[in-house]
């Protein structure tokens, strides 16, 4: 059959329309599949609100009714059992994602960016703003923090630089040994030192002040100068009240006493620090006026380098003092507490120290390398009692993806080192004091492969503790000399002592110990 031209044209149109219909249907199918895929992907990416966690009322109940405000480290372990390794919390104006797993912790810290933030430190900044003071390394942020931290790192962060302070540290340790001798002699038993944490607290203040301010402030004297004692008391006062002002809403500042006490504590801290800085500045100017060479260590470097303004030095040294005291004092206190309850371990440690440093010789920084058990004791103490049991990070530069959860910029991640380091998934027999777990033969025999992020007591990355090397050297030198001279025994009436949180982790009651002088070998 012969088709007319019109019929041929109509057929072509019909086929074209059919093809269009097919293409449209295909496009719709593809679009629908893509839309479904996008919807499925969006559905999979969960948010903060999808996380498990306690309600606001539950948190208020735990903190203020059950009294866990000073035992937040224990509360986090309870929450871990209820909500798992990552959960949300809302307390006042703070929305927090709490991390209880080292692998998740690693994911967060490896995304912290160039200018990581620990947390907003709002209440600390409120004091600085109220008094028109400069921020320090714990409160400053962004590029200004990076410049500040770069200046502070010099002469402190490298092991070779920390060794420079060994002489100053040993000088203060010698005073500590004398102080222990006097306290035990004056006790009814003739060998007991009550509240050893307070003794180490004074020692740590003297040590860090000697390094930072390049001057002795009298903490190891029988009669502490009134100004120094006020300074010491003010730090404890500020830390205790900061726990309350951090979580209470701002309107309570005019009603409850915590805010006034908190501000008063900071004022005393800055007044004390400013006087010592001004004194050193006057000495430097006098030397320069006489055309003498300017010599000194840390504070002299900060003041003479020109990298920091005088207000920045004030803010920095006051915050450095806070970062350097509790680490040393609390770690040494807990170390002796546990060594006193394990005579066999203590004897092994004594023999190691005596072999590395025979006779009356005072240990040096280089001697510590020959004392692996000593270093393990300090590491194990920091595992059980991280000085800062709960740290934080705020990722400011990008969104953070963890598994099927996605969190926006500026999310506050709470990093619970205390719970992680006491989790049996990360450490065998986690509640036991076992320094040998850090020795090579233990790892070999037990085939242990801990995630490195299960133990980071000094933090991680560029925002890690600036004074870590000096703190470690101070603890090692001190413990080696105390153990070499004394056998430590527990107070028969002491009982069990637990940690308590006041931002940093401290004993919940005084640690009393017996110090029995060893016979010279």
């Amino acid at each position: 059959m012969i088709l007319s031209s019109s019929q041929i044209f109509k057929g072509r149109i019909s086929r074209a329309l059919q093809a269009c219909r097919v293409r449209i249907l295909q496009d719709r199918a593809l679009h629908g599949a893509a839309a479904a895929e996008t919807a499925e992907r969006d559905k999979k990416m969960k948010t903060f609100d999808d996380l498990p966690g306690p309600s606001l009322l539950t948190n208020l109940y735990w903190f203020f009714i059950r009294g866990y405000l000073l035992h937040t480290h224990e509360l986090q372990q309870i929450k871990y059992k209820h909500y798992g390794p990552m959960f949300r919390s809302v307390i006042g104006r703070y929305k927090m994602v709490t991390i209880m797993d080292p692998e998740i912790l690693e994911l967060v810290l490896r995304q912290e960016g160039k200018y990581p933030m620990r947390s907003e430190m709002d209440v600390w900044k409120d004091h600085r703003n109220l008094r028109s003071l400069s921020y320090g390394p714990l409160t400053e942020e962004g590029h200004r923090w990076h410049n500040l931290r770069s200046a502070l790192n010099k002469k402190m962060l490298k092991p070779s630089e920390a060794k420079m302070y060994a002489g100053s540290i040993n000088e203060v340790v010698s005073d500590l040994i004398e102080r222990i001798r006097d306290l035990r002699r004056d006790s009814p038993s003739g060998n007991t030192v009550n509240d050893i944490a307070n003794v180490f607290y004074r020692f740590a203040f003297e040590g860090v002040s000697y390094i930072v301010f390049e001057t002795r402030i009298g903490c190891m004297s029988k009669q502490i100068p009134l100004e120094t004692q006020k300074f010491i008391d003010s730090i404890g006062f500020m830390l205790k009240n900061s726990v309350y002002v951090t979580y209470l809403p701002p309107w309570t500042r005019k009603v409850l006493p915590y805010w006034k006490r908190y501000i008063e504590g900071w004022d005393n801290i800055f007044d004390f620090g400013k006087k010592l800085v001004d004194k050193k500045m006057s000495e430097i100017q006098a030397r320069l006026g006489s055309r003498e060479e300017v010599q000194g260590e840390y504070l002299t470097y900060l003041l003479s380098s020109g990298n920091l303004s005088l207000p920045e030095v004030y803010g920095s040294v006051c915050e450095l003092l806070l970062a350097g005291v509790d680490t040393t004092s609390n770690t040494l206190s807990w170390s002796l507490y546990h060594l006193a309850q394990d005579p066999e371990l203590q004897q092994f440690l004594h023999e190691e120290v005596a072999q590395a440093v025979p006779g009356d010789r005072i240990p040096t920084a280089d001697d510590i390398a020959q004392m692996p058990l000593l270093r393990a004791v300090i590491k194990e103490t920091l595992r059980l009692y991280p000085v800062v049991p709960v740290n934080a990070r705020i990722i400011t530069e990008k969104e953070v993806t963890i598994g099927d959860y996605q969190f926006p910029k500026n999310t506050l991640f709470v990093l619970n080192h205390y719970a992680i380091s006491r989790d049996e998934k990360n450490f065998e027999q986690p509640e036991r004091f076992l320094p040998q777990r850090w020795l090579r033969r233990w790892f070999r025999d037990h085939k242990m492969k801990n995630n490195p992020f299960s133990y980071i007591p000094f933090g991680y990355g560029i925002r890690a503790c600036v004074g870590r090397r000096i703190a470690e050297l101070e603890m090692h030198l001190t413990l080696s000399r105390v153990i070499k001279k004394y056998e430590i025994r527990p107070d028969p009436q002491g009982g069990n002592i637990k940690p308590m949180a006041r931002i940093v982790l401290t004993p919940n009651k005084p640690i009393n110990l017996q110090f029995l002088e060893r016979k010279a070998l």
Side-chain angles (χ1 to χ4, degrees):
M1 182 176 63
I2 300 174
L3 298 176
S4 65
S5 59
S6 63
Q7 289 175 318
I8 294 173
F9 181 73
K10 289 179 180 178
R12 289 176 179 174
I13 291 294
S14 178
R15 289 193 293 273
L17 289 173
Q18 183 64 27
C20 286
R21 292 190 189 99
V22 172
R23 178 61 61 85
I24 290 170
L25 290 173
Q26 289 175 339
D27 289 345
R28 286 177 178 176
L30 289 173
H31 178 73
E37 183 179 347
T38 301
E40 182 66 19
R41 185 173 64 250
D42 292 342
K43 182 181 178 181
K44 287 182 179 178
M45 296 309 296
K46 301 176 184 178
T47 66
F48 176 88
D49 294 329
D50 296 313
L51 280 171
S55 66
L56 175 60
L57 291 177
T58 301
N59 272 327
L60 293 175
Y61 166 76
W62 280 109
F63 277 113
F64 297 104
I65 306 300
R66 290 294 298 274
Y68 268 93
L69 195 56
L70 299 180
H71 298 274
T72 53
H73 54 293
E74 295 177 351
L75 178 57
Q76 296 287 26
Q77 289 182 300
I78 294 172
K79 290 180 177 179
Y80 182 19
K81 293 178 181 178
H82 279 82
Y83 307 113
M86 184 170 70
F87 56 85
R88 59 172 172 77
S89 290
V90 179
I91 304 176
R93 56 200 172 103
Y94 294 97
K95 294 177 64 176
M96 301 169 282
V97 177
T98 298
I99 307 298
M100 300 287 220
D101 178 86
E103 293 182 0
I104 300 176
L105 176 63
E106 180 179 2
L107 285 173
V108 173
L109 292 179
R110 291 198 183 280
Q111 299 179 70
E112 64 182 8
K114 186 177 180 180
Y115 305 124
M117 290 174 57
R118 277 201 178 94
S119 63
E120 294 179 347
M121 305 294 286
D122 285 348
V123 294
W124 286 32
K125 293 177 183 177
D126 287 344
H127 169 262
R128 310 298 189 270
N129 296 336
L130 183 66
R131 300 299 191 223
S132 300
L133 297 168
S134 290
Y135 292 170
L138 301 180
T139 47
E140 192 57 271
E141 300 174 12
H143 183 68
R144 289 173 60 86
W145 166 82
H146 189 271
N147 290 340
L148 182 65
R149 179 62 188 260
S150 297
L152 296 174
N153 282 352
K154 296 178 181 178
K155 284 187 171 291
M156 186 171 283
L157 199 57
K158 296 180 181 179
S160 58
E161 294 167 341
K163 288 182 180 180
M164 297 188 309
Y165 304 103
S168 298
I169 292 171
N170 269 325
E171 180 182 328
V172 183
V173 175
S174 295
D175 290 346
L176 170 69
I177 298 295
E178 291 185 14
R179 181 64 181 156
I180 291 174
R181 181 198 62 194
D182 293 343
L183 290 170
R184 62 189 290 272
R185 182 189 59 201
D186 295 341
S187 69
S189 66
N191 57 31
T192 300
V193 176
N194 293 323
D195 196 3
I196 191 64
N198 182 56
V199 177
F200 281 133
Y201 197 64
R202 291 170 53 175
F203 158 74
F205 262 119
E206 189 71 20
V208 73
S209 296
Y210 199 16
I211 290 170
V212 173
F213 292 122
E214 300 176 22
T215 187
R216 300 293 297 270
I217 61 174
C219 289
M220 301 310 297
S221 304
K222 289 185 178 180
Q223 190 66 37
I224 300 178
L226 291 177
E227 193 173 27
T228 299
Q229 186 62 59
K230 181 181 179 181
F231 169 65
I232 295 174
D233 294 342
S234 295
I235 290 184
F237 203 55
M238 181 278 295
L239 288 173
K240 181 178 179 180
N241 285 281
S242 67
V243 176
Y244 296 98
V245 300
T246 296
Y247 294 114
L248 290 171
W251 64 264
T252 63
R253 296 176 180 181
K254 295 181 179 180
V255 180
L256 301 177
Y258 306 116
W259 175 251
K260 182 179 179 181
R261 296 171 183 171
Y262 169 77
I263 293 296
E264 182 181 345
W266 267 124
D267 286 346
N268 292 334
I269 293 168
F270 267 80
D271 287 345
F272 185 84
K274 184 176 183 300
K275 288 179 182 178
L276 292 179
V277 171
D278 289 345
K279 178 183 176 182
K280 177 59 65 175
M281 191 64 181
S282 297
E283 293 174 2
I284 292 173
Q285 290 174 340
R287 291 178 192 170
L288 292 174
S290 303
R291 296 186 177 181
E292 298 178 18
E293 183 180 358
V294 175
Q295 294 181 339
E297 293 182 351
Y298 197 65
L299 183 56
T300 299
Y301 157 73
L302 291 181
L303 292 171
S304 60
S305 67
N307 294 326
L308 299 179
S309 67
L310 193 57
E312 286 176 325
V313 174
Y314 293 148
S316 296
V317 295
C318 288
E319 292 186 9
L320 284 174
L321 281 176
L322 295 180
V325 173
D326 287 286
T327 297
T328 299
S329 60
N330 290 334
T331 304
L332 288 172
S333 300
W334 288 117
S335 294
L336 291 188
Y337 171 73
H338 281 283
L339 286 169
Q341 300 183 49
D342 193 336
E344 183 178 11
L345 173 64
Q346 187 180 161
Q347 182 60 28
F348 285 144
L349 179 59
H350 170 69
E351 292 172 1
E352 177 184 82
V353 173
Q355 183 176 356
V357 189
D360 295 331
R361 188 165 66 83
I362 293 177
T364 66
D366 292 331
D367 290 324
I368 302 302
Q370 308 304 317
M371 306 179 197
L373 182 57
L374 179 90
R375 300 196 306 274
V377 167
I378 295 299
K379 290 189 73 172
E380 179 69 348
T381 305
L382 286 168
R383 181 190 70 82
L384 279 173
Y385 308 98
V387 179
V388 180
V390 178
N391 209 333
R393 279 294 188 276
I394 298 176
I395 311 300
T396 61
E397 299 173 28
K398 60 181 180 179
E399 293 181 336
V400 176
T401 301
I402 302 174
D404 56 355
Y405 284 90
Q406 191 170 66
F407 303 100
K409 298 177 183 179
N410 300 315
T411 296
L412 173 59
F413 292 94
V414 175
L415 318 176
N416 198 296
H417 304 299
Y418 181 91
I420 290 174
S421 63
R422 286 181 177 242
D423 188 344
E424 62 183 4
K425 297 176 184 176
N426 304 319
F427 292 97
E428 185 177 313
Q429 303 179 68
E431 298 297 329
R432 287 192 61 191
F433 183 76
L434 293 172
Q436 54 267 41
R437 75 171 79 243
W438 299 104
L439 302 178
R440 289 182 180 178
R441 61 178 179 270
W442 173 278
F443 277 86
R444 183 181 63 248
D445 295 343
H446 291 74
K447 298 180 181 180
M448 299 295 292
K449 292 184 179 180
N450 300 104
N451 185 308
F453 286 81
S454 63
Y455 172 84
I456 48 172
F458 293 98
Y460 168 83
I462 194 172
R463 195 111 204 186
C465 176
V466 66
R468 170 183 180 173
R469 301 301 180 186
I470 292 177
E472 288 178 325
L473 179 61
E474 187 175 36
M475 291 185 289
H476 292 150
L477 292 174
T478 304
L479 183 59
S480 65
R481 292 182 65 181
V482 170
I483 286 297
K484 186 177 180 182
K485 186 172 182 61
Y486 293 108
E487 176 187 351
I488 314 300
R489 293 182 183 176
D491 177 14
Q493 311 299 322
N496 189 33
I497 299 176
K498 296 182 179 181
M500 175 182 69
R502 55 166 196 176
I503 293 184
V504 296
L505 214 57
T506 61
N508 68 337
K509 60 182 180 180
I511 298 176
N512 304 329
L513 298 171
Q514 295 180 335
F515 287 74
L516 280 65
E517 194 161 2
R518 297 181 186 272
K519 295 180 180 180
L521 298 177

